[in-house]
Amino acid sequence: MKRFTFIIVTAVLAVISLSAQPLNRKGVRPEGKLDVQRVMLAKRSVMQGKVAAAEGISRKAQRAKNQVLRAQSPAKAYGVVDQPQGTLYELKAAFNAIAYNWLTGYYDASSDASPMKVVEGTDGNLYISNLVPSLYATEYYWVKAEAKGDGKYVIKKQPIGYYGSEGYEELDYVARLEMNEEGSSYVESENSDINITWKDGVLSTDIDMQEGDYVYGVIYEDYVSDESDELTWNWGGSANWNLKASIMTEEYITPPAGAKVEDMILEFVEGDTKSSKNVKVAFVDDKVYVQSYENVPGWYVGTISGNKVTFEGNQFLGLDEYYNSYQYLTTATVEEAYDKEYDETYFEPTIASDIVFDYDAATKTLTAPKNTAMYINGSTSRIYYAEAYVAPKLYFFKEVAATPADPVITYFWDYDEAYECAELDFNIPTFDTEGNYITPEKLSYQVYVDNEVFTFEQDEYDALDKDYTVLPYGFTDNEWIAQNFLCLFFQPAENVGLQSIYTGGGEEHRSNIVYYNIETGETEVVSGIKSVGASNVKGVAREAYYDATGRQVNADAKGFVIKSVSFADGSKKNFKVVRK
């Protein structure tokens, strides 16, 4: 199950509920994040769940069958899958676009930093890769453009991608689209041809292609036994127009050969809390090279002058395949603002030419003003970021014993019959209770279900190599457990809790236990064990179990059970437990 499985149902319902309403092109805030939410994939996930339910098999079994099916038939080619023969050109594309996100509604998906490829085919035709950048490039075909002469080409309606699993297939087409009469969605134009020009290394669409006139995008056709084959605009893509792409000439920077690369901590403000991450840094003469985003090969570089270090904006960082975008370092000033609709505080950025850090040469510490920020940014003209570092600070980490900050439970999804599991979403902060960075390699966490430590058993979580009661920070089994979510194959009766554990500085310290109350949806913080082996630890002297009548029962008794814990200091605590 992917991370988005439960979010997806809401996403699809949101699309359906808005499909009959006039388009409301609501833009994201200026500091809006690069969007990778794919409603198209959402629909696929939901459809597979329906198929599994209809066949009376478990979601887990359905996934296994799908994996086998895809292994047997990895590419059902309706279009041009492999790169055609001819001369290849790497391009950077700019275009206008709108797309849909279930969180923000309709938003501006325009780009000036989108990767694109063009092949001048040996057959005289033109072939384009990534014509619709909002789609997953690895799943989509090369689009064929037929030559008309004098650099003019036409793209006929054609398959642009295919997805298949047992019981569900989807064939996607690229075509010219226009607004329907109700103004509620885009539909295929009567003339579905897309006219383009390829001349002197520049690819462009018709000069009269405007949002109010017509656009190009994706429609899809379902092949499901109980579904119609009606063509519908795919909200998982976007409506694009005014495309102009030129040959890519920018090059990214890396430290000189032989440079000493060191680990430093990049500390920054995220929302209303402090955050931090481990980054790569190289000091070479009067230059500071930094790589803080692992999805691109490039580094950004600052110049040391006395007690200042200046990083220029718009430094090219390379191609980010995850976001399907070229990335840049963008520098900005920020002001704190409040969003009434979302009831949250955020930072309103204004792009600046550079960012200047104070520099302590003795400790090699760089500290930027609080009203400044750096963005790993998918644009050169607006803030459309993959990562944001507000009030950034760079310093070398010195490990000490510390108590980790409490985990943050972001959401709990009740048990879902279609997927046979419940899901807990969370964040494990990589800093201590004082806001200082702690190394993730020595950070772990424990899960509590109905007031008891939960064991992830290999028999249930079959991708595990053993049973786990403590999970390392960032652990994933690539199925049911990941860095910020975990799944349970039952509905907890009372609560789900998390506790962080840090073993830095030769000591083990624990955070409070943060519980999510199943009934009320509220979180509760319970004082945890502050340090194992220290004098303040209350050792457990005895555990006993009782049923609702007060009669003592075995530890593995089913139903409603009261667990009574007696500690070595004479204190007692009772827990309610429901076992199925």
Side-chain angles (χ1 to χ4, degrees), residues 159-174:
I160 192 175
Y162 165 83
Y163 177 86
S165 64
E166 187 162 323
Y168 177 70
E169 294 181 279
E170 178 178 291
L171 184 58
D172 296 338
Y173 298 83
V174 63

Side-chain angles (χ1 to χ4, degrees), residues 128-144:
I128 307 167
S129 174
N130 209 30
L131 180 65
V132 184
S134 59
L135 303 176
Y136 277 127
T138 55
E139 292 187 9
Y140 282 78
Y141 305 140
W142 289 79
V143 173
K144 177 181 176 181

Side-chain angles (χ1 to χ4, degrees), residues 436-471:
N436 301 312
Y437 175 84
I438 54 179
T439 178
E441 289 77 13
K442 296 188 177 182
L443 186 62
S444 57
Y445 65 96
Q446 200 157 43
V447 179
Y448 294 78
V449 177
D450 296 333
N451 301 305
E452 289 192 325
V453 173
F454 181 75
T455 299
F456 293 89
E457 298 178 356
Q458 186 181 14
D459 288 346
E460 289 287 330
Y461 299 83
D462 51 14
L464 298 180
D465 58 349
K466 62 179 182 179
D467 292 353
Y468 284 85
T469 55
V470 175
L471 295 174

Side-chain angles (χ1 to χ4, degrees), residues 62-74 166:
Q62 179 65 40
R63 293 179 71 253
K65 291 175 70 175
N66 291 342
Q67 289 170 1
V68 172
L69 182 75
R70 283 194 283 272
Q72 293 171 345
S73 179
E166 187 162 323

Side-chain angles (χ1 to χ4, degrees), residues 275-420:
S275 189
S276 53
K277 66 182 299 186
N278 196 299
V279 300
K280 300 294 183 184
V281 178
F283 290 86
V284 181
D285 299 327
D286 66 338
K287 303 296 183 185
V288 182
Y289 295 83
V290 181
Q291 187 180 53
S292 61
Y293 184 60
E294 301 78 6
N295 287 2
V296 292
W299 298 48
Y300 45 96
V301 58
T303 301
I304 303 172
S305 178
N307 63 349
K308 303 290 183 181
V309 177
T310 301
F311 288 85
E312 300 290 338
N314 269 354
Q315 296 188 42
F316 178 61
L317 302 177
L319 176 61
D320 180 354
E321 293 184 355
Y322 179 75
Y323 282 109
N324 194 23
S325 175
Y326 291 118
Q327 298 285 6
Y328 295 81
L329 173 74
T330 298
T331 52
T333 58
V334 295
E335 290 185 8
E336 195 171 274
Y338 177 71
D339 190 318
K340 292 182 178 179
E341 182 175 355
Y342 293 96
D343 188 26
E344 64 181 14
T345 300
Y346 66 98
F347 294 101
E348 187 85 43
T350 301
I351 293 177
S353 60
D354 57 32
I355 183 171
V356 180
F357 288 74
D358 291 329
Y359 179 56
D360 184 335
T363 62
K364 293 185 175 179
T365 298
L366 290 76
T367 306
K370 291 183 179 180
N371 69 329
T372 60
M374 300 190 301
Y375 295 90
I376 306 300
N377 200 38
S379 174
T380 58
S381 60
R382 67 176 179 134
I383 302 297
Y384 198 42
Y385 66 87
E387 290 193 350
Y389 316 127
V390 176
K393 180 179 179 180
L394 280 160
Y395 60 90
F396 284 101
F397 173 65
K398 182 178 180 181
E399 183 180 282
V400 296
T403 300
D406 292 345
V408 178
I409 294 176
T410 55
Y411 206 82
F412 178 78
W413 305 87
D414 287 326
Y415 182 84
D416 188 286
E417 293 289 347
Y419 301 106
E420 296 189 327

Side-chain angles (χ1 to χ4, degrees), residues 267-275 336 347 370 388-392:
E267 184 179 283
F268 51 94
V269 176
E270 191 169 36
D272 57 358
T273 61
K274 186 186 293 186
S275 189
E336 195 171 274
F347 294 101
K370 291 183 179 180
Y389 316 127
V390 176

Side-chain angles (χ1 to χ4, degrees), residues 53-187:
E55 294 181 356
I57 63 175
S58 71
R59 176 66 174 168
K60 203 169 185 179
Q62 179 65 40
R63 293 179 71 253
K65 291 175 70 175
N66 291 342
Q67 289 170 1
V68 172
L69 182 75
R70 283 194 283 272
Q72 293 171 345
S73 179
K76 191 168 184 178
Y78 290 101
V80 182
V81 177
D82 300 321
Q83 180 178 311
Q85 294 293 316
T87 305
L88 174 67
Y89 298 89
E90 302 273 354
L91 308 180
K92 184 172 83 167
F95 52 85
N96 295 107
I98 59 167
Y100 183 86
N101 179 290
W102 72 284
L103 285 171
T104 60
Y106 297 97
Y107 68 96
D108 183 1
S110 304
S111 176
D112 59 4
S114 184
M116 188 171 287
K117 295 179 181 179
V118 165
V119 169
E120 291 178 343
T122 54
D123 59 1
N125 296 313
L126 199 67
Y127 295 88
I128 307 167
S129 174
N130 209 30
L131 180 65
V132 184
S134 59
L135 303 176
Y136 277 127
T138 55
E139 292 187 9
Y140 282 78
Y141 305 140
W142 289 79
V143 173
K144 177 181 176 181
E146 299 175 13
K148 296 170 60 178
D150 193 29
K152 303 293 184 181
Y153 295 81
V154 60
I155 298 171
K156 302 284 188 180
K157 175 187 169 183
Q158 61 190 275
I160 192 175
Y162 165 83
Y163 177 86
S165 64
E166 187 162 323
Y168 177 70
E169 294 181 279
E170 178 178 291
L171 184 58
D172 296 338
Y173 298 83
V174 63
R176 170 173 164 166
L177 307 174
E178 62 186 18
M179 190 70 70
N180 63 10
E181 292 183 1
E182 294 79 18
S184 61
S185 68
Y186 285 101
V187 295

Side-chain angles (χ1 to χ4, degrees), residues 11-30:
V12 174
L13 291 176
V15 173
I16 293 170
S17 67
L18 288 169
S19 62
Q21 300 177 19
L23 286 174
N24 173 24
R25 296 190 177 87
K26 173 186 173 183
V28 293
R29 292 196 301 258

